[in-house]
Amino acid sequence: MSTRRKGFRVLALLLIAVMSFSFAALPPAVPFAHAGSSDLSGLADRAANYLYNEFVREGAKNGDSSVGSYAVWTLTQAGVDVSAWLHDGTSLKDAVIEIITQDIADPEVSVKVLAQDLLAAQALERQDLAEELLEVLKNREQSTGGFDYNVYSDMPAYDLLGRSGKLDAMNTDYARNYILSTQNKVYASIPEAVYESVYGSWGMSWDGVFYPDFITTAQAIRALSYLDPLKEDPEIRAAVDLGLQWLKKQQKEDGSFAVSDWEDPLINTVEMVATLEVLEIDPSSLTSNTGKSPVDYLIGNALNPDGSFGTSKNAMDATWALWGYWLLGGRVQNQLFMEPTSASLSVGEKVYFKSMLNGSDVTQDAVWTVGEQSIASVAYGLVTGLKAGTTVVSAAYGGLTGSAVLTVKSPVPPGGTSTYTVEIAVVGMDGELLYGPGPVTISAGSRWGMTALGALDATDLPYSMSDQWPDFIESIAGQAGSGMAGWCYVVNGNIPSVAAAKYDVRDGDRIIWYYSKDINEPPPKWDDLVKRAASGTVSPSAAVEEIADLLTDLEKSKLTPGEVITGIGDLLDQLGAAEATEELKSKLAEAVNALSLRLAKIPDEALSVRTDGATAKVEVDGDAIKNQVSAVKSAVTLAEKLEQIGVNEVGNLALEQIVVKLPTELASQKGFTVELPAEAGEELVSANLGLAVEGPEVSLSLPPEVLKKACDTAPNLAGLELAVARREPSKLNPFKGASVVGNVAFDLEANTITAEGKKESLKGSFSKKVTVTLSLEGIDLGGIDRGRLAVYRQKGDGSWEFVGGSLSADEKSYSFETDHLSVYSLMEFQNPFKDVTSHWARETIELMAMRLIARGISEDSFAPDQKLSRAQFAAFLVRALDVEEETPQVRTFSDVPPDHWGYRAIEAAFREGLVAGTGAGRFEPERAIKREEMAVILAAVLKRNGIATALTDTQRDEVLKGYGDSDRISEWAKEGLAVCVSKGIIKGRAEAALAPLGSATRAEAVVVLENLLRLLGKL
């Protein structure tokens, strides 16, 4: 815990000890005893049973809708031994420990998941992992409170930390203030909503409207309760009561809770039960107008006939249901296992499964079924393989179901061998040989077994299956089917009538896969392919001609970049030992240039543009992005081959981003949005590629880290959106001295879109900056001082922040970088201060005023020679160092009330460790700051930024000895003043006078701050 004051140390230590004990002694929620405990345990059995089968089928994954860390914690609380659950021979315990280890090393994992990992590590008695996770969480906490700038991640993290008993390891002042500040205290009715008011709830605003969230509100109430275990904080008690009243209003007739129809009432109801338990309120006492309580709902309405729970019917529902039953006193008493949990056999073979209930064999009494009856049959646990494929074998007993994964392989051929050697050739769309003709070995145990598809798989050529037609090939080596054209196969000259995955081949068969453009065109003949292959390597001159043809087809859009890359790669492979000629290298360099241009830009036909009044919506085809990403990956391999034979500039193929170039017609619109599917965004992230959107007026370049943050933000992500809207300069209210240049002002926003169509703006700062380029085409810069041109960001409260940027050499664009999206405008600054025109510090004052670091005492006066107050210096300092001003719930200094003009800056400077009080809880904001005081503060800033500041006594005295008044320097200020003098930050007022006890002037302050920023590399 942190304290705000240094005084009263004995009392403070006692308070810390008491509060630390209170946090440490606070146990996890202890379940109330409820009637019908046998029913609750039976339901707990069913919930655990659902999670067991999900784990057997899918394995362990982190995420609310999977069996991962949070499910493990819940199962362990309910009495389940997760080390006994197996998937592919690995226990759920070991799988989750591995997941936790990976999460610790991944800086992009949300704090919600890390906090779930913490609970799981504690439940699995892995204190080492728990300590590592706690350290990561402590480092992720922001000084403004929260972690990820997202209540949907931050609030559950605080709640989970409270459950783990480790919330006191965080800065509890930050946590308290953050949670209290995010509660909605504004009464507001919202149209098209099933709830009357948001007052008292927690949630998030979107497009100017606040949307409350039931789960977040429940989590916030619990977190606050953990922060105030003795119920002594009146603000927390008031917030908890207000939030609880809002939760109660959401109760439905059946006893459940839901804010809107699309919400899952089971999740909300369990969250309510958990909240009531923490508040020591019996959940059965909270009834609807029909007399139904949340306990009634969980016992009578949560379980579905198919054994799933809730309306989503997934692992998340089962996990929350189990948590709820445990909170109400239920325990898992019966578990139905399958032995083994997975098995593999060939067609015609048999395998025996056992169904075990709490260690007792119930195989003969269970009801057995197979998911896909054409793959296998089952009777009393004895399974017979019927055809190749994968399915699930299930046994039902006593209301529980056990599942096992069954893989049936192609039959082992006569003679007992489990492998065949077949010959195969793969012919591309232009008749080129992509593989063979040559032998491959196929195995009954491989993914596709001894089939025609198994033979293709054995070539190691990349291929993909059709989403629309199961078991059919979509593309091979980057060549995808289109229209009536696509991939076919023949075996021994015959065209089979079944999918390749179901056509069994025999030893010595000859298989040809070929790209067919015409259904009437006969397939290639094996002997012809053998002759072609036997003709030897491709000559350099022939390769030049082939590459020229490929580039022509690329130019005419007959071939995609991926197909051209594959074709060139194959030609290089066929060169053999032939030496690449200069002609060939030149043609390959031409290909590199052509491909780099095509690879970087998404094809225009992949964009769907719709206008709606003054705005336009651009939808990007997800498959086009996926194909482009695949081609970029292939280009890296091609670049390596080209580099080996001496082709120059192959680095152009190593792209860092994919470009979406918007039509120039959008310049007439007031704004536009660009939307792409979530899968496409994830594809870019997996390839470490950014996304650039080039509009006629605004272009943005988003690094992969920003895309990853977007993909990780929403739990049910369906799409990503980038929105750009032109802002009217007349409505921007620029600061004094600034004027908008050429109406260049835009609102930039990045949003996530859920499957339900809900949009959420990305909050907080990005780990990597976005590059924004503003077009200046048609804008006359005549008469504008280029040195006074800069981009500024308008904050939510209407104030402005300096961003900077640079003008292009041709003066047709202006670019800047930012770590979050907002309203930005290009402005010219003109000095508004009449009293600095002939002052010695004029240039510095104008520079710092332009950067919004130095502000005047009035609109047209700076008062450069006026004494600088401590409050003014704190304000200058936080602006210079880009420290966000803040308004805490409780003020730090008794003489700086919230209505003081410098309150927010002083609080921010204090919390950042830049300034301190003068004792007895005071700051003395209006007292003039001495030059030696200013020096000590600046020396501390240097040290915080990694600048070496240590001086020996001899070095210190050497620096100061040239000043006749050095003996007047206070002892505590000597080192700081010597550091600033040695670094050139502070100079004497006269050649031999430092004036350490003299009051610093406003002009002196901006000069030393300019020197500081230049030393830090920020100017």
Side-chain angles (χ1 to χ4, degrees):
M1 271 191 175
S2 64
T3 58
R4 292 192 178 95
R5 298 172 184 165
K6 296 181 179 178
F8 307 104
R9 291 182 178 176
V10 174
L11 178 59
L13 289 172
L14 286 172
L15 286 172
I16 292 171
V18 170
M19 292 306 290
S20 297
F21 171 78
S22 299
F23 274 105
L26 185 67
V30 178
F32 281 115
H34 287 272
S37 59
S38 61
D39 292 338
L40 290 168
S41 292
L43 289 164
D45 291 345
R46 301 291 291 272
N49 182 240
Y50 183 96
L51 293 172
Y52 168 74
N53 291 313
E54 182 74 10
F55 172 66
V56 167
R57 289 191 296 267
E58 303 296 335
K61 304 173 188 174
N62 251 358
D64 288 338
S65 299
S66 304
V67 181
S69 293
Y70 190 61
V72 161
W73 175 81
T74 308
L75 288 162
T76 305
Q77 301 307 301
V80 175
D81 179 9
V82 294
S83 64
W85 289 20
L86 300 176
H87 173 80
D88 286 345
T90 300
S91 72
L92 176 55
K93 175 182 178 179
D94 291 340
V96 166
I97 287 174
E98 177 60 28
I99 288 173
I100 293 174
T101 303
Q102 294 173 2
D103 287 348
I104 290 173
D106 187 351
E108 299 296 332
V109 173
S110 72
V111 291
K112 170 185 172 182
V113 172
L114 292 172
Q116 291 175 341
D117 287 344
L118 174 61
L119 281 181
Q122 290 178 331
L124 298 175
E125 299 181 349
R126 285 298 302 268
Q127 189 60 29
D128 56 330
L129 294 178
E131 291 176 357
E132 286 189 63
L133 286 161
L134 195 59
E135 197 61 32
V136 173
L137 286 165
K138 287 164 64 177
N139 292 334
R140 290 276 292 272
E141 190 176 24
Q142 305 294 324
S143 61
T144 54
F147 304 87
D148 291 342
Y149 300 102
N150 183 344
V151 294
Y152 301 131
S153 177
D154 295 343
M155 217 61 77
Y158 280 131
D159 171 41
L160 293 162
L161 281 163
R163 279 192 251 169
S164 73
K166 297 296 184 182
L167 186 52
D168 59 326
M170 302 294 110
N171 187 311
T172 52
D173 284 344
Y174 290 170
R176 173 191 180 276
N177 296 340
Y178 172 76
I179 300 173
L180 289 175
S181 68
T182 51
Q183 185 178 29
N184 188 292
K185 296 290 186 65
V186 180
Y187 186 91
S189 295
I190 297 179
E192 301 178 5
V194 297
Y195 41 83
E196 176 191 359
S197 168
V198 301
Y199 187 62
S201 66
W202 277 264
M204 187 169 285
S205 295
W206 176 72
D207 200 19
V209 178
F210 181 86
Y211 290 91
D213 186 80
F214 192 95
I215 297 175
T216 305
T217 301
Q219 292 164 338
I221 291 173
R222 296 198 296 270
L224 287 174
S225 299
Y226 295 132
L227 287 167
D228 184 31
L230 301 180
K231 301 182 180 179
E232 295 178 340
D233 188 323
E235 282 192 75
I236 286 182
R237 302 328 307 164
V240 167
D241 291 342
L242 199 59
L244 183 60
Q245 291 305 311
W246 184 84
L247 290 179
K248 289 179 178 179
K249 292 178 183 178
Q250 316 311 319
Q251 190 169 26
K252 305 305 175 186
E253 289 186 354
D254 62 358
S256 68
F257 294 81
V259 180
S260 59
D261 293 338
W262 57 267
E263 286 189 321
D264 193 324
L266 180 139
I267 304 294
N268 288 355
T269 304
V270 174
E271 291 284 342
M272 186 63 172
V273 168
T275 304
L276 294 173
E277 298 279 358
V278 170
L279 298 176
E280 299 179 342
I281 300 173
D282 187 348
S284 62
S285 67
L286 186 62
T287 57
S288 67
N289 56 10
T290 62
K292 296 291 186 180
S293 73
V295 179
D296 295 324
Y297 169 81
L298 289 176
I299 292 176
N301 299 80
L303 178 64
N304 299 312
D306 62 358
S308 64
F309 289 82
T311 57
S312 299
K313 300 182 177 183
N314 58 16
M316 182 177 181
D317 275 318
T319 301
W320 260 251
L322 181 57
W323 180 31
Y325 298 136
W326 171 73
L327 287 169
L328 297 174
R331 296 294 182 272
V332 176
Q333 298 178 346
N334 298 298
Q335 295 185 69
L336 189 68
F337 291 110
M338 294 282 279
E339 294 181 0
T341 56
S342 63
S344 178
L345 73 164
S346 296
V347 172
E349 291 182 342
K350 300 179 185 295
V351 66
Y352 187 68
F353 288 94
K354 289 200 300 183
S355 179
M356 307 294 293
L357 179 68
N358 300 336
S360 299
D361 192 337
V362 295
T363 303
Q364 298 302 311
D365 298 318
V367 176
W368 291 85
T369 56
V370 176
E372 178 56 64
Q373 297 181 10
S374 64
I375 293 177
S377 64
V378 62
Y380 300 104
L382 184 63
V383 175
T384 303
L386 301 179
K387 75 168 188 178
T390 300
T391 186
V392 174
V393 178
S394 301
Y397 180 84
L400 303 178
T401 300
S403 299
V405 178
L406 177 72
T407 300
V408 180
K409 305 172 185 176
S410 298
V412 176
T417 180
S418 60
T419 61
Y420 279 152
T421 298
V422 297
E423 295 192 82
I424 184 171
V426 182
V427 184
M429 61 171 56
D430 290 324
E432 73 276 22
L433 275 169
L434 302 178
Y435 186 90
V440 293
T441 300
I442 56 177
S443 168
S446 63
R447 178 185 179 189
W448 300 110
M450 295 181 175
T451 64
L453 187 52
L456 175 62
D457 186 75
T459 66
D460 288 331
L461 286 174
Y463 66 93
S464 63
M465 306 299 292
S466 170
D467 293 332
Q468 185 176 5
W469 307 103
D471 298 332
F472 282 80
I473 291 293
E474 174 69 25
S475 71
I476 299 177
Q479 299 185 17
S482 176
M484 296 300 293
W487 288 95
C488 300
Y489 76 100
V490 295
V491 179
N492 299 328
N494 299 314
I495 302 176
S497 59
V498 297
K502 298 179 180 179
Y503 188 91
D504 295 325
V505 297
R506 313 296 292 181
D507 196 50
D509 280 350
R510 291 174 174 174
I511 304 149
I512 303 175
W513 281 90
Y514 65 100
Y515 192 99
S516 173
K517 297 181 179 179
D518 186 344
I519 194 172
N520 297 314
E521 180 183 359
K525 294 181 179 180
W526 184 264
D527 291 341
D528 292 340
L529 297 178
V530 171
K531 290 178 181 177
R532 282 176 53 190
S535 63
T537 59
V538 173
S539 67
S541 59
V544 169
E545 294 179 4
E546 290 275 2
I547 293 170
D549 292 340
L550 290 172
L551 295 180
T552 299
D553 288 343
L554 177 67
E555 182 65 27
K556 295 180 179 179
S557 297
K558 291 183 178 180
L559 293 178
T560 66
E563 292 165 345
V564 173
I565 290 170
T566 299
I568 293 175
D570 290 341
L571 286 171
L572 294 178
D573 291 339
Q574 294 173 32
L575 280 174
E579 183 177 351
T581 62
E582 291 302 317
E583 180 188 22
L584 176 57
K585 291 179 184 179
S586 176
K587 181 57 70 174
L588 287 169
E590 179 186 339
V592 167
N593 293 331
L595 284 169
S596 62
L597 295 174
R598 290 298 189 102
L599 282 172
K601 179 177 171 294
I602 294 293
D604 294 340
E605 53 268 25
L607 307 183
S608 173
V609 182
R610 290 184 295 168
T611 57
D612 181 13
T615 61
K617 179 178 181 180
V618 181
E619 294 180 343
V620 185
D621 181 59
D623 289 337
I625 291 182
K626 291 180 182 179
N627 291 338
Q628 205 81 349
V629 170
S630 176
V632 169
K633 291 179 179 178
S634 299
V636 174
T637 303
L638 177 61
E640 293 174 354
K641 293 181 178 180
L642 295 175
E643 193 171 25
Q644 290 175 359
I645 62 174
V647 178
N648 297 324
E649 299 181 358
V650 295
N652 292 337
L653 293 177
L655 301 182
E656 295 183 352
Q657 62 182 13
I658 298 295
V659 178
V660 175
K661 188 173 180 61
L662 304 181
T664 56
E665 293 78 16
L666 295 187
S668 62
Q669 305 295 125
K670 289 186 177 180
F672 64 83
T673 61
V674 177
E675 185 178 325
L676 63 150
E679 295 83 359
E682 291 165 354
E683 194 78 19
L684 288 167
V685 171
S686 68
N688 198 34
L689 290 170
L691 176 69
V693 175
E694 295 183 356
E697 294 181 306
V698 183
S699 298
L700 298 96
S701 179
L702 282 67
E705 290 81 2
V706 174
L707 298 176
K708 188 175 191 308
K709 178 175 181 177
C711 291
D712 292 346
T713 297
N716 190 21
L717 188 65
L720 305 176
E721 180 189 74
L722 192 64
V724 175
R726 189 185 295 115
R727 295 294 299 269
E728 292 295 330
S730 60
K731 299 179 181 179
L732 290 178
N733 191 25
F735 58 93
K736 183 69 174 177
S739 58
V740 178
V741 175
N743 295 330
V744 179
F746 294 93
D747 189 353
L748 312 178
E749 189 174 15
N751 302 311
T752 59
I753 306 173
T754 66
E756 297 79 19
K758 183 179 179 181
K759 292 184 180 181
E760 199 71 61
S761 177
L762 279 186
K763 304 298 182 184
S765 300
F766 306 137
S767 59
K768 290 291 181 68
K769 291 187 176 183
V770 175
T771 300
V772 182
T773 300
L774 306 173
S775 174
L776 301 182
E777 289 283 353
I779 296 176
D780 183 11
L781 296 182
I784 291 179
D785 184 348
R786 307 309 194 262
R788 292 288 181 260
L789 202 60
V791 166
Y792 294 84
R793 177 176 81 93
Q794 190 171 43
K795 301 180 182 180
D797 61 1
S799 63
W800 290 92
E801 176 183 81
F802 177 85
V803 177
S806 59
L807 185 66
S808 64
D810 60 5
E811 298 192 343
K812 292 184 177 180
S813 65
Y814 198 95
S815 299
F816 64 95
E817 292 184 336
T818 177
D819 58 5
H820 52 281
L821 300 183
S822 181
V823 175
Y824 293 91
S825 179
L826 180 64
M827 300 187 192
E828 181 189 18
F829 176 79
Q830 295 292 339
N831 174 30
F833 305 129
K834 298 177 181 178
D835 56 353
V836 301
T837 53
S838 59
H839 196 274
W840 62 270
R842 178 184 62 81
E843 290 186 3
T844 297
I845 293 171
E846 290 182 353
L847 173 65
M848 302 299 266
M850 173 185 170
R851 299 177 73 88
L852 299 181
I853 294 172
R855 296 177 186 172
I857 61 171
S858 67
E859 287 192 351
D860 59 1
S861 176
F862 184 76
D865 297 320
Q866 186 180 93
K867 292 179 180 180
L868 179 76
S869 71
R870 285 168 51 81
Q872 289 173 339
F873 186 66
F876 283 6
L877 193 59
V878 295
R879 295 176 203 139
L881 298 177
D882 294 326
V883 176
E884 282 288 336
E885 296 184 1
E886 57 181 78
T887 306
Q889 294 288 328
V890 180
R891 68 182 184 181
T892 303
F893 302 107
S894 61
D895 58 348
V896 187
D899 59 356
H900 187 279
W901 71 266
Y903 176 70
R904 298 178 73 242
I906 292 169
E907 291 288 353
F910 173 73
R911 280 169 169 71
E912 194 70 16
L914 300 175
V915 299
T918 57
R922 294 172 56 78
F923 185 76
E924 299 182 59
E926 303 308 327
R927 176 171 68 77
I929 191 169
K930 296 181 176 65
R931 284 168 57 83
E932 66 178 11
E933 283 183 286
M934 187 167 63
V936 170
I937 293 172
L938 297 177
V941 172
L942 290 177
K943 185 175 182 180
R944 285 163 57 93
N945 283 271
I947 304 294
T949 59
L951 295 175
T952 65
D953 291 347
T954 302
Q955 290 172 328
R956 180 194 65 191
D957 295 342
E958 182 67 25
V959 172
L960 299 176
K961 74 176 184 180
Y963 298 96
D965 57 356
S966 61
D967 58 337
R968 300 188 64 192
I969 302 172
S970 301
E971 191 64 33
W972 56 267
K974 284 184 178 180
E975 183 172 352
L977 196 48
V979 167
C980 288
V981 170
S982 67
K983 299 294 184 183
I985 293 177
I986 290 181
K987 296 179 174 59
R989 278 187 171 169
E991 186 174 345
L994 276 174
L997 300 181
S999 298
T1001 67
R1002 289 168 54 81
E1004 287 175 332
V1006 295
V1007 169
V1008 299
L1009 286 176
E1010 179 190 12
N1011 295 336
L1012 173 72
L1013 294 178
R1014 292 196 184 281
L1015 186 61
L1016 296 178
K1018 295 185 177 183
L1019 272 183

